[in-house]
Amino acid sequence: MGDMTRYADFFGQPVSLFGVGALRKLPGYLRAFSANRAVLCTDTGVVAAGIAGEVLKVLNEASKLDVTVFDEVVANPTEECAARGYELYKATPGALLISLGGGSAHDAAKAIGVMAAHDGALWDFVGVNKLKRSLPPLIAINTTAGTGSELTRFAVITHVAKRTKLTLVDWRLTPRIAVNDPSLMVTLPPELTAQTGMDAFTHAVEAYLSRSATPLSDACALEAIRLIAEYLPRAVAHGADMEARAAMAYAQYLGGLACNSAGVGAVHAVAHQLGGLYNLPHGLCNAVLLPWVLEYNLLGCMERLAEIATIMGEDAAGKSTRLRAEKAVEAIRALGRDVGMPQRLGAIGVKEEDCPTIARQALEDPAIFTNPRRATESEIMAVLRKAL
Ligand SMILES: [Fe+2]
């Protein structure tokens, strides 16, 4: 008898629009909601880049939506940020929520949706499937490739007092429609392209190595790894390379879809602490941590890491599983270096005196449960010290 635990639940996402010009397909779908109002949840950077204007133009031309813009989303969104959006949403009950941006915009919109359906409460719903009511429909338009939040059932919100990020996991958080139009990503600067791309890559790698991986999540994860290894360097080297942008938009969706069911691992568990403690970009934290955590995880996922080496085009035929697994870690370290990511935690401002808190809180993060190696506090401490 095979391992039947591999045939586990899968969490999908209803409609995702891909390709150059995908945004123009959106109004046709929006009409089905028969809403006449919407709140567009975005940030000042997306407005300044002219992307919000472009989206509003398409919405105005093709549908009768009356759109209110909330442009106060911050990076690593807080409860307070979502509460401000909720105040605006309250004035337009029944409105659709449209998020436009990267993971921060989508996560903030998810939190606004939770508040809209539950009289402003948010932290009561940390955990798995804790929501009491369905949320206003969310349409998520991506400008990065990406966090995968435009398709996931996760909302990651910073708890300012606790200086950590808390995760709401609920199938009702899943956006109804996701838009991944590479023409909205083409102006993203190389550094942000690299950070968000490495986040997507980390989703795929951690999902593939996850204890909850399934045949469906594996298929998505492996294709995401292959595409990102090939196209992220190109998207960083030349932002206007539309083939690379389109491949990245698709690959990050696959990475998100893989981790939506399989979960992530210790990289994310620690990255959530670094984000909460230092307000650092999420993808940057993952990019720095990934090779160090994989070196530690190697014992628990040697076969699968070895397969990643093959997928990434490393010629390791005839070598031992152990050597092929090490090759994968090397290739992943080189990918981060190639796209300009720092190699050590000290370089992004992580302080040694904070490491005990980081290690302790990482073990409380739900991402740790699917890590291929069961980690202890002292082991996480050792990884952090090595990576400093
Ligand atoms: Fe992530």
Side-chain angles (χ1 to χ4, degrees):
M1 193 170 74
D3 180 5
M4 291 194 298
T5 60
R6 296 260 293 144
Y7 308 135
D9 302 341
F10 190 78
F11 296 89
Q13 186 264 331
V15 178
S16 184
L17 307 175
F18 285 108
V20 175
L23 176 65
R24 301 207 162 265
K25 296 184 261 184
L26 180 60
Y29 287 89
L30 289 183
R31 281 190 279 277
F33 293 103
S34 46
N36 46 27
R37 313 194 72 157
V39 170
L40 181 74
C41 188
T42 188
D43 62 62
T44 48
V46 170
V47 174
I51 299 172
E54 209 178 306
V55 167
L56 285 170
K57 210 168 138 234
V58 170
L59 293 177
N60 288 340
E61 272 170 18
S63 62
K64 298 273 179 289
L65 275 183
D66 178 5
V67 184
T68 308
V69 177
F70 172 65
D71 66 358
E72 295 175 52
V73 173
V74 293
N76 296 317
T78 58
E79 182 194 25
E80 196 252 327
C81 163
R84 263 180 284 134
Y86 168 55
E87 284 307 313
L88 202 70
Y89 185 87
K90 266 206 296 200
T92 58
L96 293 174
L97 275 166
I98 303 176
S99 56
L100 172 66
S104 299
H106 308 318
D107 283 3
K110 288 172 182 178
I112 293 167
V114 170
M115 290 172 164
H118 302 85
D119 301 322
L122 181 68
W123 299 129
D124 298 351
F125 309 111
V126 172
V128 181
N129 289 347
K130 296 280 170 68
L131 293 177
K132 305 276 182 253
R133 284 183 278 279
S134 57
L135 311 187
L138 171 62
I139 288 85
I141 307 169
N142 239 353
T143 60
T144 71
T147 65
S149 182
E150 86 285 2
L151 73 101
T152 66
R153 59 187 172 126
F154 311 132
V156 185
I157 306 294
T158 298
H159 194 299
V160 175
K162 291 185 178 165
R163 299 183 78 194
T164 185
K165 287 175 149 187
L166 298 178
T167 309
L168 284 70
V169 183
D170 196 300
W171 58 278
R172 284 158 285 209
L173 291 168
T174 310
R176 306 286 182 93
I177 298 173
V179 180
N180 277 296
D181 186 336
S183 52
L184 302 180
M185 303 168 183
V186 76
T187 57
L188 197 70
E191 197 185 358
L192 285 176
T193 301
Q195 290 176 2
T196 50
M198 286 306 289
D199 182 29
F201 187 74
T202 306
H203 295 153
V205 170
E206 290 211 289
Y208 189 62
L209 304 177
S210 159
R211 292 175 54 77
S212 299
T214 65
L216 259 173
S217 68
D218 286 349
C220 297
L222 285 177
E223 181 63 355
I225 291 168
R226 190 186 70 77
L227 286 170
I228 295 169
E230 182 176 350
Y231 288 102
L232 178 59
R234 277 176 58 174
V236 170
H238 202 304
D241 182 339
M242 284 311 277
E243 189 192 339
R245 292 287 189 189
M248 280 303 300
Y250 198 75
Q252 67 82 37
Y253 186 90
L254 291 176
L257 198 55
C259 75
N260 200 34
S261 298
V264 276
V267 179
H268 270 79
V270 176
H272 290 155
Q273 311 320 316
L274 304 187
L277 204 53
Y278 307 115
N279 198 22
L280 287 166
H282 173 65
L284 176 65
C285 299
N286 283 332
V288 179
L289 286 163
L290 183 60
W292 300 103
V293 172
L294 291 180
E295 272 176 5
Y296 162 74
N297 276 344
L298 190 133
L299 283 188
C301 52
M302 221 179 277
E303 286 281 349
R304 286 193 161 230
L305 259 179
E307 285 164 45
I308 289 176
T310 308
I311 288 289
M312 290 180 75
E314 292 296 309
D315 181 17
K319 301 264 168 47
S320 70
T321 306
R322 164 91 198 203
L323 275 175
R324 288 165 56 224
E326 283 172 358
K327 274 237 180 233
V329 179
E330 256 174 61
I332 288 168
R333 184 164 267 136
L335 175 66
R337 201 185 305 123
D338 283 351
V339 298
M341 294 292 98
Q343 302 291 296
R344 294 195 164 268
L345 291 175
I348 60 172
V350 175
K351 296 188 184 65
E352 192 168 8
E353 63 260 35
D354 293 329
C355 288
T357 313
I358 294 166
R360 182 170 39 78
Q361 292 188 347
L363 287 183
E364 289 164 18
D365 191 288
I368 204 79
F369 298 122
T370 43
N371 195 61
R373 185 169 175 182
R374 189 165 164 187
T376 65
E377 210 172 307
S378 61
E379 287 169 348
I380 299 282
M381 273 299 289
V383 173
L384 293 172
R385 276 210 202 92
K386 210 170 160 192
L388 261 179

